[in-house]
Amino acid sequence: MIDAVLLNERVRAARAHIERSDEATLGRQAALSAIPAPTGAEGARGARVAEMLGQVGLTDVQVDEVGNVRGWYRTGSSIRAQYAAPLHHGCVVVSAHLDTVFGPELDVSVARRGPRLEGPGIADNARGLAALVVIGESLVRARVETQRPVLFAATVGEEGSGDLRGVRHLLGPSDRPTVRPCAFIALDGAGIERIVHRALGARRYRVTYHGPGGHSWAAFGVANPANAVGRAIDRIADNRTHHAPRTSCSVVRIGGGTGLNSIPQTAWFDLDLRSEEPRALEKLDAAVQAILTQALDEENRHRVPGTAPLTIVVRRVGDRPSGLTPRTHPLVQTAVAATRAVGHDHQLACGSTDANVPIALGVPAVALGAGGRAGDAHLPTEWYENDKGALGIVRALLVTAAMAGCA
């Protein structure tokens, strides 16, 4: 499949455009990174991406109900294919997420120091967005003929509390799909070798213990929500997780209380549970739920008789599905071949990306880096260096062209 794509004159012209546009892509990357886009507030960045997709020649560019940006690349044969499938069955989706992990208070301006761009979100995922734009531009400029339409999508809510909201909306529920592609390619961050084909499942919880509270001296002996939080965390820390499949359980935030001389009425913590394998995640989840109840019961046993017991509320705030696209699938094999074609060895990997949702729906999906090197992800000191950056985007172009039926 990839050999025919490599020989296609128009694909070769598209590749040449990407390589010529290297500096322009970096400029777009820096410009997009400098537009704040906290999860849930991606509107300004989404509007700019929509402008860019329209400017490079994609059609029917629009922002949907939740803030996703969509634009189509269609040629004669792919237009006919789309009309035959009104729900866009059989298209190829190329996506990149709009949001960052940073709040609105953080300065997201970008500095260039030698070969390095520095700024929060400069790689994750301003790099993916810039790659999305130039791939679409290269197809248009080179007039690449495809048998299937290609949907370019910039999605909201990929990070943290967004819980993959944008891609869930894009694809729709399994019983009422709006878009059901034959292949889904997520562009996420930097890199040229990793191929994420295994979806890392995650469940996130806010655990809250409630009690009567009171004066830290006068009411001492009542059930203390903070004690219950401590008991639960201690047990969670001692809970053994699996190494094969890899599984993790992390306490990521803690809060509660009103003052130094008051027993809190409420104490809470947030949990992040992850696993490469759905059954392992279910097993871990069950073990953690038991621990939370044990901590509640233990604290209640220690309270002064006649005082009110603690109660608990466990609220799920995130649920990312796990699964995989088999390494033998043509999409994965095409990504492997494309990596070799740009002169690099591939690395099959597991990660949590927009690809999780299509994989869970039975749609073949991978996530690819968009070239270059990066570091300090999810930190204000995040950086990107454009080492073979164009080649990473060329790899994504080759995979897109092959899956779209470019012969």
Side-chain angles (χ1 to χ4, degrees):
M1 186 183 294
I2 203 71
D3 291 338
V5 169
L6 289 168
L7 293 174
N8 185 291
E9 289 188 7
R10 292 189 178 183
V11 174
R12 291 164 67 180
R15 172 177 182 163
H17 176 79
I18 289 171
E19 292 170 340
R20 286 194 307 269
S21 302
D22 201 23
E23 279 299 319
T25 299
L26 281 177
R28 287 175 178 144
Q29 182 179 345
L32 290 170
S33 188
I35 302 172
T39 300
E42 304 96 336
R45 185 177 287 184
R48 185 69 187 102
V49 170
E51 289 178 6
M52 289 181 177
L53 293 181
Q55 289 167 355
V56 302
L58 297 184
T59 60
D60 295 335
V61 176
Q62 59 180 286
V63 180
D64 69 19
E65 300 88 339
V66 300
N68 296 325
V69 181
R70 310 182 187 201
W72 287 94
Y73 178 74
R74 306 181 180 96
T75 61
S77 58
S78 63
I79 290 172
R80 290 189 293 274
Q82 189 172 28
Y83 282 137
L87 291 180
H88 312 310
H89 286 14
C91 68
V92 174
V93 173
V94 183
S95 81
H97 68 86
L98 288 161
D99 58 326
T100 72
V101 300
F102 306 103
E105 74 287 347
L106 189 70
D107 179 7
V108 293
S109 60
V110 177
R112 187 161 190 169
R113 296 182 174 89
R116 180 170 289 191
L117 292 174
E118 298 179 357
I122 186 63
D124 184 13
N125 191 33
R127 182 62 185 175
L129 292 169
L132 186 78
V133 174
V134 76
I135 291 172
E137 183 178 46
S138 72
L139 294 175
V140 172
R141 292 286 184 90
R143 293 177 294 157
V144 176
E145 183 73 22
T146 64
Q147 296 176 14
R148 303 180 186 90
V150 182
L151 173 60
F152 289 83
T155 60
V156 300
E158 190 272 348
E159 299 284 8
S161 60
D163 200 33
L164 306 177
R165 181 169 66 101
V167 69
R168 292 181 198 272
H169 182 82
L170 180 71
L171 298 183
S174 58
D175 59 337
R176 288 180 289 107
T178 54
V179 174
R180 189 60 78 241
C182 69
F184 187 104
I185 302 157
L187 305 175
D188 203 333
I192 197 170
E193 296 172 339
R194 292 182 80 226
I195 301 167
V196 176
H197 73 112
R198 302 195 308 277
L200 178 59
R203 291 185 184 172
R204 282 81 180 252
Y205 291 100
R206 167 65 60 90
V207 180
T208 307
Y209 291 97
H210 298 277
H215 194 281
S216 58
W217 173 257
F220 181 75
V222 302
N224 188 331
N227 288 352
V229 166
R231 296 180 194 279
I233 291 175
D234 180 61
R235 289 173 181 264
I236 288 169
D238 285 339
N239 185 56
R240 297 185 64 183
T241 55
H242 303 287
H243 295 288
R246 185 180 173 193
T247 305
S248 69
C249 178
S250 302
V251 176
V252 293
R253 287 191 294 191
I254 305 173
T258 57
L260 285 172
N261 59 349
S262 300
I263 296 170
Q265 290 183 301
T266 298
W268 58 267
F269 66 102
D270 289 343
L271 276 170
D272 182 300
L273 317 181
R274 301 190 185 217
S275 181
E276 298 177 341
E277 204 278 321
R279 286 173 294 183
L281 185 58
E282 289 286 350
K283 185 176 180 180
L284 174 62
D285 197 340
V288 167
Q289 299 299 330
I291 286 172
L292 301 179
T293 302
Q294 290 165 6
L296 175 74
D297 294 342
E298 188 172 348
E299 180 60 21
N300 280 333
R301 283 197 300 271
H302 285 79
R303 77 184 192 278
V304 171
T307 59
L310 292 185
T311 59
I312 185 175
V313 175
V314 180
R315 181 167 62 93
R316 188 181 291 185
V317 295
D319 189 359
R320 295 177 175 234
S322 55
L324 61 84
T325 301
R327 64 176 63 203
T328 56
H329 190 277
L331 173 59
V332 179
Q333 289 300 304
T334 298
V336 169
T339 307
R340 291 174 179 157
V342 297
H344 283 259
D345 294 328
H346 68 279
Q347 298 174 356
L348 297 181
C350 177
S352 181
T353 69
D354 269 348
N356 284 42
V357 170
I359 286 174
L361 292 171
V363 174
V366 294
L368 305 175
R373 299 190 305 117
D376 289 355
H378 291 196
L379 292 173
T381 52
E382 187 172 350
W383 57 268
Y384 172 83
E385 289 184 357
N386 198 39
D387 179 24
K388 300 180 182 178
L391 281 183
I393 301 177
V394 167
R395 176 178 72 151
L397 166 72
L398 297 176
V399 178
T400 301
M403 300 314 296
C406 177

